[in-house]
Amino acid sequence: MTMHLDPDRDWKDHIAGQALRQIQELDLALEPNSFELWYTFFSGRHKALTEAVNALLAATGRPSARDLTRLYEQFLFPTKAATRIHTIGALVHTQSSALINVIEEASDATHGYETRLSSAAPRLALGRMDGMQSIVDELLSWTIDIQTANSLLVGRLKSAAEQVRQLQDQLDQVRLESMTDPLTEVGNRKYFENSLSQHVNSEESWPLSLLIVDLDNFKQFNDRHGHVVGDDVLRLAASTIKHNCRRDDVVCRYGGDEFAIIVPRTPLREALLLGEAIRAAIAARELHRRSTHESLGRLLISIGAAEFRPGETADDFVERADHWMYAAKQARRDRTRPTGEAVRDPAERRPDILWHESYACGEPTIDAQHRELFDLANVILGPDIEALESAELAEVVELLLSRVAQHFQYEQAVLEAAGYDEYEHHRTEHDHLLLRARNVSEAVVSGHQSLGELREFLVNSVILGHLLKDDRRFFALFDKQGASGAPRGTAPVHRERRRSSL
């Protein structure tokens, strides 16, 4: 018996069957281009193509091979873009020439009318009544002629102008398609580079921040569940990112499993909050296979952020955001690194603060935020941070502080909704910790205190003193064995987890 390892084989076979049946029903030749078009249509992987085919089916019922070839060349054959631009450009040239001819004809007609009026003027000046009627008849005839000519010219001008507008719309559509990633329907790498250049060179966009988002376990989805699921994961990530961004933010697919978000008029601190909102929204979605409703787990992401420094190049700006994305990704990997993996000499590195499941309270988002704070603390404790310049150190510290503030805000909302009897005391502790953290961090960044003092505060006051001591007093509110993690006796107060089918 033959076995196949592709978990989406049955689904693919079903889509292929639909494509073949559609080709037979329309009595079309079984060609690779035709099969690709209908396969893509029935898979639902290309929104613009799906909409265009549906419109064509609604309009004609039985589209011709020529109609379908046009759609294929428009949506599925990117190399046709240059040909389309050349063709449209030639048509624009033709219509422009027609407009010029119309304008020249109008100018000639007007000049002829003026010449005739000039020739009639001396005759009118003589004032002879016997010739007056003849002159009036001639002027009337000339006026009718010029009116008729103008009416025709106006019609031709309107027609030519409308065709030019349509061609301009087609050029705009080609340009948009060349700047859009067809899978995720966000900007592509070219669009990102053009947009970043514009924002970097426009002071109206400053302060300007950049987020680089990497899907940590995307390869796992691809290898385990197939490329069809992988494509759906990318579309889900893109739509979630767009949903959390503002209209002016620029969302692009930066690489295979990376996205970039240009955030104009936004300082680093606010951009980090946006990144946290995106991370939480993506992590909240439990993924399921459409066909079997099998749970595929949750998608994890790493985010790097940077704020533009006037005078630096766009490449340097991207490199800094990319650096912190890889730092965040490495922090997540370090947490699960096999013990046999090569590491630095123990004498050259400080021990990591290791997360243990006993530190979990049972509320999923609070536990995820605590784990992330452990990761960030290990970045501060690591030896690499000692080599950072002051501005780079400030970015790392700002990242930590923004995550702490975001966590405190969420934790307070949960405890208040749960009716925690020590809520006010806990909130006051948060305020004191944030104030102290801000003061210590500013002193370290400015050089008035050593990095060691920040590390000591982080470990003793935040991790050991608060997260592992003060927070334990509210653990009884949550059922660590429950699936929802909601406070006992209350409805869940954390963000509703959405289920996504792939």
Side-chain angles (χ1 to χ4, degrees):
M1 182 176 68
T2 302
M3 298 183 62
H4 55 262
L5 300 178
D6 186 347
D8 287 296
R9 172 71 175 272
D10 294 338
W11 184 85
K12 292 177 182 176
D13 289 347
H14 175 67
I15 297 302
Q18 286 183 298
L20 290 172
R21 286 192 295 273
Q22 184 71 16
I23 291 172
Q24 291 172 351
E25 290 174 6
L26 295 176
D27 196 22
L28 300 170
L30 183 55
E31 298 175 341
N33 291 355
S34 179
F35 178 79
E36 181 184 357
L37 184 144
W38 288 111
Y39 184 94
T40 305
F41 171 76
F42 285 112
S43 69
R45 295 166 61 183
H46 198 307
K47 181 180 178 182
L49 172 66
T50 300
E51 293 175 347
V53 171
N54 282 331
L56 183 60
L57 290 172
T60 66
R62 292 183 65 85
S64 66
R66 184 174 182 179
D67 291 333
L68 297 174
T69 297
R70 176 179 56 80
L71 291 183
Y72 177 84
E73 292 179 352
Q74 180 178 353
F75 295 103
L76 299 180
F77 199 5
T79 57
K80 287 287 184 180
T83 302
R84 290 170 61 198
I85 291 174
H86 176 76
T87 301
I88 294 172
L91 292 173
V92 169
H93 177 74
T94 300
Q95 292 302 325
S96 298
S97 299
L99 281 171
I100 292 174
N101 290 337
V102 171
I103 293 171
E104 289 178 347
E105 288 179 28
S107 177
D108 291 343
T110 301
H111 178 70
Y113 185 62
E114 291 176 349
T115 301
R116 290 180 175 181
L117 289 178
S118 298
S119 66
R123 295 162 59 192
L124 288 171
L126 295 176
R128 296 175 58 182
M129 297 301 297
D130 58 345
M132 188 66 68
Q133 185 61 46
S134 173
I135 296 173
V136 170
D137 291 342
E138 288 180 10
L139 288 175
L140 181 59
S141 175
W142 296 342
T143 301
I144 292 174
D145 290 343
I146 193 64
Q147 287 178 338
T148 302
N150 283 342
S151 179
L152 293 173
L153 291 173
V154 167
R156 290 170 60 188
L157 279 172
K158 286 183 177 179
S159 176
E162 177 60 27
Q163 292 185 50
V164 169
R165 279 194 294 269
Q166 292 178 0
L167 292 171
Q168 183 61 53
D169 290 341
Q170 292 181 38
L171 281 174
D172 291 342
Q173 181 64 29
V174 172
R175 179 178 179 276
L176 178 62
E177 291 171 8
S178 71
M179 294 287 187
T180 302
D181 176 56
L183 176 64
T184 60
E185 297 186 339
V186 298
N188 60 17
R189 182 67 175 263
K190 181 179 180 181
Y191 183 66
F192 166 74
E193 292 173 350
N194 290 345
S195 299
L196 185 65
S197 176
Q198 293 175 7
H199 285 292
V200 162
N201 293 308
S202 173
E203 294 187 15
E204 294 181 358
S205 297
W206 302 353
L208 176 67
S209 292
L210 174 65
L211 298 176
I212 302 292
V213 179
D214 181 89
L215 311 186
D216 289 341
N217 48 345
F218 176 73
K219 187 176 185 301
Q220 169 188 332
F221 279 98
N222 251 354
D223 293 345
R224 182 176 300 176
H225 306 295
H227 291 286
V228 173
V229 170
D231 288 349
D232 283 337
V233 167
L234 288 171
R235 279 193 289 268
L236 173 64
S239 65
T240 305
I241 291 172
K242 286 193 295 184
H243 179 74
N244 283 273
C245 288
R246 304 169 305 183
R247 178 177 299 180
D248 292 341
D249 299 337
V250 180
V251 180
C252 300
R253 187 177 178 190
Y254 182 64
D257 58 354
E258 290 182 346
F259 295 87
I261 310 167
I262 302 172
V263 195
R265 296 174 294 281
T266 304
L268 180 64
R269 185 179 305 177
E270 294 179 21
L272 290 169
L273 294 178
L274 169 62
E276 172 60 22
I278 291 171
R279 186 202 62 76
I282 290 178
R285 289 179 175 267
E286 184 177 358
L287 309 179
H288 289 77
R289 188 186 298 276
R290 284 197 197 99
S291 56
T292 64
H293 303 295
E294 167 196 359
S295 175
L296 305 181
R298 300 183 187 278
L299 186 62
L300 304 176
I301 66 173
S302 296
I303 302 179
E307 182 176 334
F308 179 67
R309 299 170 181 169
E312 74 175 336
T313 66
D315 288 342
D316 290 339
F317 184 26
V318 173
E319 185 178 353
R320 286 194 297 112
D322 225 19
H323 169 79
W324 295 121
M325 185 275 293
Y326 281 109
K329 198 174 186 72
Q330 190 60 46
R332 188 181 300 280
R333 286 174 177 167
D334 284 346
R335 188 173 63 219
T336 57
R337 183 178 52 208
T339 55
E341 184 177 337
V343 297
R344 298 176 184 270
D345 186 328
E348 296 181 4
R349 60 169 293 174
R350 294 171 174 79
D352 289 343
I353 304 175
L354 300 180
W355 173 267
H356 190 273
E357 290 305 319
S358 64
Y359 302 158
C361 70
E363 204 286 334
T365 302
I366 290 179
D367 289 337
Q369 291 175 348
H370 280 175
R371 291 174 72 106
E372 184 180 32
L373 290 178
F374 270 61
D375 291 342
L376 291 172
N378 284 322
V379 172
I380 300 292
L381 293 172
D384 293 339
I385 198 171
E386 298 173 1
L388 296 181
E389 298 179 356
S390 177
E392 294 172 327
L393 176 61
E395 288 186 3
V396 177
V397 171
E398 186 60 46
L399 175 64
L400 174 65
L401 291 179
S402 69
R403 291 294 198 266
V404 171
Q406 183 83 359
H407 164 63
F408 284 174
Q409 183 180 19
Y410 177 81
E411 188 176 272
Q412 287 167 193
V414 171
L415 296 181
E416 183 179 23
Y420 182 44
D421 54 5
E422 295 186 41
Y423 166 74
E424 288 297 334
H425 173 73
H426 204 80
R427 183 181 61 80
T428 301
E429 285 295 316
H430 283 173
D431 292 342
H432 290 164
L433 278 174
L434 277 177
L435 179 60
R436 289 181 57 199
R438 179 66 62 185
N439 291 337
V440 172
S441 300
E442 290 177 352
V444 170
V445 171
S446 64
H448 293 96
Q449 288 187 8
S450 68
L451 185 60
E453 292 177 88
L454 174 60
R455 286 166 164 163
E456 181 180 359
F457 168 76
L458 183 62
V459 173
N460 293 334
S461 299
V462 177
I463 303 296
L464 299 179
H466 186 72
L467 298 185
L468 300 184
K469 182 178 178 182
D470 295 341
D471 281 2
R472 283 188 175 275
R473 293 201 290 268
F474 65 69
F475 277 24
L477 289 170
F478 304 103
D479 180 6
K480 294 181 68 174
Q481 302 302 320
S484 69
R488 290 192 182 99
T490 68
V493 294
H494 51 282
R495 188 195 315 264
E496 179 183 356
R497 290 173 170 265
R498 285 178 285 180
R499 170 173 168 166
S500 299
S501 296
L502 302 177

